[in-house]
Amino acid sequence: MDIDVLAIAAVAITVVLFVLLSYLGRKKNVDFGILTILALVFGIVIGIVFKGHVELTAVFGRIYTNLISALVIPLLFVSIISSISSLDNISKLKTIGFKSIFWLVANTFTASLLTLIIAGSLKVGQSINFTLPTDYEPKEVPSFLDTIVGLFPKNVVSHAANGEIVPFIVFTIMVGVALVYLQEREKEAAVPFKNFIDSANKLMFVVVEFVVDLTPFAVLSLIANAVSTYGAKELIPLLGVLVLSYVLCAIQMFLIDGALIRFVGGLSPIRFFRGFWPAQVVAFTSQSSVGTIPVSVKQLVSRLGVNEDIASFVAALGANLGMPACAGIWPTLLAVLAINIFDIPYSIGQYAFLIVLTLIVSIGTVGVPGTSTVTTTALFTAAGLPVEIIVLLVPISSVVDMMRTAANVTGAATAAVLVAKSEQLLDREVYDQGKSEEGLSGAVAVGESAR
């Protein structure tokens, strides 16, 4: 059996860096966000130095991904029901639900419009000469009616096992709404189940706290693998599209969302990004909006003062509805690219309809790696564009997915803050100071560093 000396050296150095991160966190009380940034830098260095030899190092990230993924279904179940049942009445539930959906969809609209204006102005794709592949097997996209039917649960156990989040969330919302009705009509009958859910919710956040504290170690492992995997040779021909994708996501995250926080919420965007940064890093490295939910909720509650119920509800909803980058920026950018590459005549009305289609596609988008391929295929099919061109962007799609996921979770967090602020469920003292002494659910203190 051949021994990969470089792979062993990479994992040995990784372990040493893990010890260093743990020491800085436990003994020197270095801030959690700083630890995560350090891990990001360490990961880049490992990926460059040991390119092609980080398979053992990547194992740490894969284990973290499995752990964080294992939390999603039980966390969604108890947190959504607890969030909904904590509302005073059905009327309040409708108000918060409507506001959440509005801001999530509005974020997708701004992302799609922004992309259309910038990519259209730059005439992206006119200088690219591509030939469509002949061996490409397009993704099967369900019909509009099948898509609507698929949003509703059929077997919640299989939905949970297969990671089909949307129908599972619909079922969970149904249970939560039913519990609210039961509390209004027959409170004594609802109390036992309500107490169980609330207790389970606190318990899950303790478990989440344990796993989330491993984030810096996972970031080092995941980013090392990403840097090692994607080389310049595969990316150079499409470097312009890659750079533009990152720029568009950055504008959406920092300018559009920042403006919403400042002018709609009347809050400091700097405080927002400072408090939410660790969740953005996890989203960037894991490429999973759903997998980032526990971290997003933790940062929203402990660092931004968002009411726990609002944070859980909107973060979960935002991982499956809206998705400004995966359902707004990327599909629209590829659509403009295809239109310009093949010189397809497109009127202003057709461009406007393209934005409408992105909003429709954004409903029910599942927040897992690779979602953008499905949403783009659906958009291209509906708009009559050549679906085969999607395969041409495969070399950069995974790299772009890092930034797309960060933009997605930032959009959901923005919606959570705006909803909490409008409902007077935002603790301004925590938001302004960027720190909560109680932490999630009051069950555990918020760790300033990794355990």
Side-chain angles (χ1 to χ4, degrees):
M1 185 175 93
D2 294 334
I3 298 177
D4 191 337
V5 177
L6 288 177
I8 295 175
V11 77
I13 294 177
T14 298
V15 171
V16 171
L17 293 175
F18 281 176
V19 173
L20 175 60
L21 290 171
S22 179
Y23 172 77
L24 292 174
R26 296 172 66 90
K27 302 298 183 181
K28 297 299 182 179
N29 295 320
V30 176
D31 183 78
F32 182 81
I34 300 298
L35 284 178
T36 307
I37 296 173
L38 283 174
L40 183 67
V41 174
F42 291 157
I44 293 173
V45 174
I46 293 292
I48 294 175
V49 174
F50 296 98
K51 180 174 175 58
H53 301 276
V54 298
E55 58 271 15
L56 294 178
T57 299
V59 169
F60 297 108
R62 291 169 59 190
I63 291 173
Y64 174 85
T65 302
N66 286 348
L67 289 175
I68 207 80
S69 297
L71 298 175
V72 170
I73 291 297
L75 178 62
L76 287 179
F77 183 76
V78 296
S79 64
I80 290 178
I81 294 177
S82 179
S83 301
I84 293 175
S85 61
S86 67
L87 301 177
D88 297 332
N89 50 56
I90 294 297
S91 177
K92 190 173 182 180
L93 172 62
K94 291 178 180 178
T95 301
I96 291 177
F98 174 78
K99 288 181 179 179
S100 301
I101 293 173
F102 172 80
W103 286 118
L104 290 169
V105 174
N107 226 325
T108 303
F109 172 77
T110 59
S112 183
L113 182 61
L114 170 74
T115 304
L116 192 60
I117 293 173
I118 295 180
S121 301
L122 295 176
K123 301 185 185 303
V124 175
Q126 280 195 347
S127 60
I128 298 177
N129 184 21
F130 273 146
T131 302
L132 291 177
T134 57
D135 59 347
Y136 173 61
E137 296 182 5
K139 298 279 185 179
E140 182 179 351
V141 179
S143 66
F144 176 75
L145 291 179
D146 288 340
T147 300
I148 297 299
V149 172
L151 296 177
F152 295 90
K154 179 180 180 181
N155 184 327
V156 291
V157 176
S158 65
H159 292 321
N162 296 327
E164 297 167 352
I165 301 297
V166 176
F168 182 83
I169 286 181
V170 171
F171 171 79
T172 305
I173 291 175
M174 289 169 57
V175 175
V177 172
L179 183 56
V180 173
Y181 271 107
L182 186 60
Q183 288 178 134
E184 290 182 348
R185 297 177 181 179
E186 199 174 342
K187 189 173 183 178
E188 291 185 1
V191 168
F193 184 70
K194 168 65 175 171
N195 289 340
F196 165 75
I197 288 295
D198 289 343
S199 179
N201 192 36
K202 292 180 180 181
L203 177 64
M204 281 306 305
F205 275 120
V206 174
V207 177
V208 167
E209 193 76 24
F210 293 152
V211 177
V212 166
D213 280 347
L214 300 174
T215 297
F217 311 111
V219 167
L220 191 160
S221 174
L222 292 168
I223 201 67
N225 184 56
V227 171
S228 174
T229 301
Y230 306 113
K233 182 179 178 180
E234 294 82 4
L235 303 180
I236 288 176
L238 300 170
L239 188 60
V241 178
L242 173 62
V243 172
L244 180 57
S245 301
Y246 268 66
V247 170
L248 288 169
C249 288
I251 293 175
Q252 178 66 29
M253 271 197 298
F254 298 110
L255 295 185
I256 303 299
D257 288 336
L260 289 174
I261 293 293
R262 177 67 184 90
F263 297 109
V264 177
L267 302 165
S268 167
I270 295 177
R271 294 285 187 186
F272 171 76
F273 292 115
R274 183 181 297 171
F276 196 66
W277 170 259
Q280 291 177 310
V281 173
V282 172
F284 185 87
T285 52
S286 69
Q287 302 179 51
S288 173
S289 295
V290 170
T292 310
I293 288 175
V295 189
S296 296
V297 173
K298 173 185 175 179
Q299 297 305 122
L300 284 168
V301 176
S302 64
R303 298 291 180 169
L304 296 175
V306 176
N307 173 270
E308 182 184 317
D309 297 323
I310 297 293
S312 300
F313 180 75
V314 182
L317 189 63
N320 301 276
L321 172 69
M323 309 285 284
C326 281
I329 292 175
W330 186 247
T332 305
L333 177 59
L334 262 62
V336 174
L337 185 72
I339 290 169
N340 288 331
I341 286 178
F342 301 107
D343 196 23
I344 301 173
Y346 239 65
S347 65
I348 295 177
Q350 286 175 305
Y351 277 119
F353 183 61
L354 202 62
I355 295 178
V356 174
L357 287 176
T358 62
L359 298 181
I360 295 175
V361 168
S362 72
I363 299 175
T365 303
V366 181
V368 296
T371 298
S372 58
T373 300
V374 178
T375 57
T376 304
T377 302
L379 177 65
F380 272 48
T381 302
L385 296 172
V387 176
E388 294 83 0
I389 196 176
I390 297 173
V391 76
L392 299 175
L393 278 296
V394 168
I396 70 167
S397 184
S398 293
V399 180
V400 177
D401 200 33
M402 294 176 170
M403 196 65 165
R404 286 196 302 250
T405 309
N408 289 338
V409 300
T410 303
T414 300
V417 169
L418 294 178
V419 172
K421 180 65 164 52
S422 67
E423 292 293 315
Q424 298 182 347
L425 293 172
L426 182 77
D427 189 326
R428 283 301 301 269
E429 184 177 354
V430 173
Y431 187 95
D432 293 334
Q433 293 180 357
K435 177 180 177 182
S436 169
E437 296 297 332
E438 294 299 324
L440 291 173
S441 298
V444 288
V446 174
E448 286 296 318
S449 57
R451 292 182 185 272

